[in-house]
Amino acid sequence: MLGYVLAQVPTLNPSAGSDWIPNYEQIISALNGLTLGGLLFAAGTVIIGGATWALAANRAHTQGVTWGRFMVIGGFLGAVVIGAATAIVNTGFSLGS
């Protein structure tokens, strides 16, 4: 019974997504735009955090140094996660199939 049920499930080919996903091109375009926006936001966070860190260190403002350091580390980690998202999704898909 289980073999019959599994035989009815079609195999999915991710590269042929436009055949079985409606509005595939628009979805991919929106995801690419969100990825670009996230990377630009992370880069801006690193730049602003670095400036905050430098100015606060120059003025001996310990809370500003801490906030700047957290912004730099958070922006860097955010960029790494966003950049690695494609590899994570593809690895998960290949492990599941």
Side-chain angles (χ1 to χ4, degrees):
M1 179 70 179
L2 181 62
Y4 175 75
V5 171
L6 291 177
Q8 302 303 316
V9 176
T11 59
L12 295 178
N13 183 4
S15 61
S18 59
D19 296 339
W20 51 277
I21 298 176
N23 298 327
Y24 178 77
E25 289 80 16
Q26 290 84 3
I27 293 170
I28 294 301
S29 178
L31 289 175
N32 287 336
L34 287 173
T35 302
L36 176 64
L39 287 174
L40 289 175
F41 183 77
T45 302
V46 168
I47 291 169
I48 292 171
T52 302
W53 188 354
L55 291 173
N58 189 27
R59 306 211 186 248
H61 189 266
T62 56
Q63 187 177 4
V65 170
T66 303
W67 276 103
R69 191 178 319 148
F70 282 146
M71 288 176 69
V72 169
I73 293 170
F76 176 74
L77 290 177
V80 167
V81 168
I82 292 170
T86 304
I88 292 169
V89 168
N90 288 338
T91 302
F93 184 81
S94 66
L95 289 174
S97 59

